[in-house]
Amino acid sequence: MQSCSDAKNNVANLRGAIKPLPSQVFDIIEHFLLNVQHGHLILMIQDGFVVKIDKIE
């Protein structure tokens, strides 16, 4: 299982690797990433826009 600090580092790395998104979007994604204990987080991104976020626990 990934630690909280590893998840934050991965989010920080993603910020530089993809087309820039508004910081509010990353705050929402980061919130979901850090709060999923067991399960999946599915992000649907199309043409640089977040279309859908599914959290399955």
Side-chain angles (χ1 to χ4, degrees):
M1 187 159 103
Q2 193 175 37
S3 74
C4 185
S5 62
D6 288 341
K8 285 183 181 181
N9 289 336
N10 287 339
V11 169
N13 290 336
L14 282 174
R15 287 183 187 207
I18 63 174
K19 186 176 179 178
L21 295 172
S23 62
Q24 297 94 340
V25 174
F26 274 106
D27 292 340
I28 292 167
I29 293 170
E30 185 175 30
H31 171 77
F32 280 117
L33 281 174
L34 297 176
N35 290 302
V36 171
Q37 296 296 319
H38 302 285
H40 305 298
L41 183 65
I42 301 169
L43 298 173
M44 226 182 276
I45 300 174
Q46 182 177 2
D47 299 327
F49 296 97
V50 177
V51 177
K52 185 177 182 180
I53 299 174
D54 287 327
K55 179 180 169 186
I56 303 168
E57 287 195 78

